[in-house]
Amino acid sequence: MKKLFAAMNKIDTFSPYFFLPFILVLYFFTSMFDFYRFEYFDIKKSVFLPVVVGLVSYYAAVYAADKWNWTFPSFGLKFLKGKTVIFLYILGAIGLIAYIIMLATGQVGIADESVRRHLDPKLNFLSSFLWFAVIFLICHHILKQDELTTKKKLTYGVILFVMFVLFILMGYRTPIIVMFFTSFIIFHYIIKKIKLTWFIAALVILGIVFSMFGFFRIVTEDKTQPFNERSGPDVTVSEKEESKDLTIQRKINQTPKWVRALNSESVTGHIVLSKIMEYTDKHGYLKGELHKGIFSTVLPGEQISPRMLITNMVNSLSVKEGKYITRPGRTTTPTFLGQLYAEGGYVVVVIGFVLYGLIISMLYNQMRMSGIKSYPTVAYAFVTTIFTISMHTGLLDLVFLLMIAYAIASASIEKNNSINVAKS
């Protein structure tokens, strides 16, 4: 056993070859413990092949980028080298103003689902730049230090903790997960290597914590609010089907709610992916409509968001059976595989995972070329985190696409330039 742990701890936990594929496989492995929910929603399509196709495509791209040592060009922006931090201060100021306005107008959603569901979309969008800028600025200042004293570690830790608290108040988990894992990866490369065994232990603890966060949100929701209504669609089903559903529900309820909550996100993701596959078999692929929605949602007037489009797709298959996969008025996280498959099947799955593999591996090469303790490490940590989280959420948020673009561009500008300034 000691030899096994020793071998495991030699692995670079957050390398392109390990981290994202490990999370993807773990996600769909845990989803297999469905506690009869697959039977209840009548899952017909296996997700095994899309997962394998995605992994093979990803590894092929990572291997190619690694073999030929590909990196991003500087995009003709070399004149900005050493000045990219200015943009971070600007973004941070915009985010802070937006966040202050949200607080002043009572948009604190952690204890009130009705508030969380009606956050001002523009302010919520802009406030995201606050935590994004803070992460990059903290890392920038850490990289400037010849020696990171205990006092400085505590200072940076306190600032990060404050950011965690501020965005926990909004009631959303995604920014918290992004901040945590980006910081975690940066800590691994810049301060102290995190052994794989420690990472797995931390992952288990975090998985439980965030699952319970979601569970708490569900059990405390106000049932008198229309958007918390749990009744099924107003359709007529046969007595035989109704009896069958009741039998399955009894089997589901034999497992305590808190146990089901531990992997409810991955089970839901598995169900949604399977239903997307079933839907496209019957109605064809979306051919770009889903990704078009990422940009159309910022246009004036009422627009259908990509995740709402997914909700309409999967619910259209279950409504006639008298059940919702996603309750009306709520959005559905399609998984990155589901997002790609909905657009064009296996062809788009291959394209999407090849792009992921190339981007992550090219950033990793830039990090190694510039030296681990350099700015590209920050960009690599952030983009890897976003891509990994999108295995569940999909990559359908314009704000994340803009952040990724900034991370890639700034890392390319700053590559070959370890940030080593005289000791302050």
Side-chain angles (χ1 to χ4, degrees), residues 30-31 33-34 37-38 263-272:
T30 58
S31 74
F33 301 92
D34 64 296
R37 284 171 283 187
F38 291 173
N263 70 337
S264 63
E265 301 289 358
S266 63
V267 171
T268 301
H270 188 131
I271 292 169
V272 169

Side-chain angles (χ1 to χ4, degrees), residues 296-303:
S296 66
T297 50
V298 300
L299 298 177
E302 186 175 347
Q303 308 289 339

Side-chain angles (χ1 to χ4, degrees), residues 39-109:
E39 184 180 357
Y40 181 71
F41 287 107
D42 191 23
I43 295 304
K44 296 183 175 72
K45 305 291 288 187
S46 170
V47 305
F48 176 76
L49 188 55
V51 171
V52 171
V53 169
L55 282 172
V56 170
S57 304
Y58 171 85
Y59 271 119
V62 168
Y63 176 78
D66 184 27
K67 180 177 176 61
W68 287 289
N69 201 33
W70 291 337
T71 61
F72 287 99
S74 60
F75 304 109
L77 300 172
K78 287 184 179 180
F79 65 93
L80 290 175
K81 181 172 282 190
K83 300 181 181 67
T84 54
V85 68
I86 296 171
F87 296 101
L88 291 173
Y89 282 111
I90 294 171
L91 289 174
I94 293 171
L96 180 60
I97 292 169
Y99 188 89
I100 290 172
I101 294 173
M102 291 177 74
L103 281 185
T105 53
Q107 297 185 57
V108 180

Side-chain angles (χ1 to χ4, degrees), residues 238-256:
S238 66
E239 290 186 9
K240 181 180 179 181
E241 285 298 318
E242 187 174 3
S243 176
K244 177 185 174 183
D245 286 345
L246 287 173
T247 300
I248 298 171
Q249 284 178 338
R250 290 191 193 99
K251 290 194 290 185
I252 292 173
N253 292 331
Q254 287 174 359
T255 304

Side-chain angles (χ1 to χ4, degrees), residues 284-296 306 309 339-345 348 396:
Y285 302 116
L286 298 182
K287 299 178 181 178
E289 286 300 312
L290 192 65
H291 289 82
K292 179 183 174 183
I294 298 174
F295 303 96
S296 66
L309 183 58
Q339 168 185 343
L340 299 173
Y341 196 95
E343 291 284 40
V348 181
L396 295 168

Side-chain angles (χ1 to χ4, degrees), residues 175-189:
I176 310 304
I177 297 172
V178 174
M179 281 189 279
F180 179 86
F181 272 104
T182 300
S183 304
F184 203 60
I185 296 172
I186 292 168
F187 181 91
H188 168 79
Y189 285 116

